[in-house]
Amino acid sequence: MINGQALGDVSKIKYGLFRMSFNGCEVIAVCNALEYLGSKITVERVSRYMRRYCVLFGLFGCNVYCIGRALKHFGADCRRVRSAEDAKAFIISSWTGKPFLSSIHTVFCVNEGGSIRVYNRYNSCPTVKYYDSAEKIFANCKKLAIYKVK
């Protein structure tokens, strides 16, 4: 699993005009979901496929509403949902502050029944973070998309 998109070799991989350390959270979330499902697909391969969904050459990362297409392309069973309440594993995208005045961040999560493991929570966070609920992952920020991964 990948944590800390600004750390290690993954930070140097290009996505659009930039490096993953700047805009690769959606690619990393898809990679982490595929890894969770047992797939051995490389970050480079996922990145190559997801480049078609870059927003402004990757300046704003990936179109979060296309994450499901990428997951399905690599064989994952997923669907977009309104809530992560009953999901064992999910990808969630949210504004990090005020809508349109802040950036968007996307993470892969696993619900363990009492806590939620969140991968790549922050740009330079090398470890998994734990939260009590999906709502607390991005606090009061507006969620954009949630994909339940099966």
Side-chain angles (χ1 to χ4, degrees), residues 93 141 150:
S93 296
C141 298
K150 303 175 202 171

Side-chain angles (χ1 to χ4, degrees), residues 64-92:
V64 297
Y65 301 108
C66 294
I67 291 172
R69 288 185 200 167
L71 287 166
K72 288 177 182 175
H73 174 79
F74 291 108
D77 183 11
C78 70
R79 69 182 171 99
R80 196 162 148 218
V81 295
R82 291 195 174 279
S83 168
E85 231 173 78
D86 64 339
K88 172 73 175 150
F90 58 96
I91 291 176
I92 185 169

Side-chain angles (χ1 to χ4, degrees), residues 36-68:
Y36 170 80
L37 295 171
S39 179
K40 300 297 178 198
I41 294 174
T42 65
V43 176
E44 292 84 1
R45 187 166 166 209
V46 173
S47 173
R48 231 176 293 123
Y49 176 80
M50 290 184 71
R51 279 190 191 123
R52 68 185 64 190
Y53 305 124
C54 279
V55 177
L56 283 178
F57 305 103
L59 176 62
F60 296 109
C62 173
N63 179 345
V64 297
Y65 301 108
C66 294
I67 291 172

Side-chain angles (χ1 to χ4, degrees), residues 22-39:
F22 177 72
N23 65 350
C25 60
E26 291 89 8
V27 172
I28 291 168
V30 168
C31 286
N32 283 341
L34 294 170
E35 174 78 19
Y36 170 80
L37 295 171
S39 179

Side-chain angles (χ1 to χ4, degrees), residues 87-127:
K88 172 73 175 150
F90 58 96
I91 291 176
I92 185 169
S93 296
S94 177
W95 293 101
T96 58
K98 291 187 184 267
F100 301 105
L101 298 175
S102 66
S103 60
I104 292 171
H105 192 56
T106 302
V107 295
F108 173 68
C109 309
V110 177
N111 188 342
E112 296 180 322
S115 66
I116 297 174
R117 267 186 294 159
V118 180
Y119 296 90
N120 193 39
R121 179 59 189 97
Y122 299 104
N123 204 22
S124 59
C125 179
T127 61

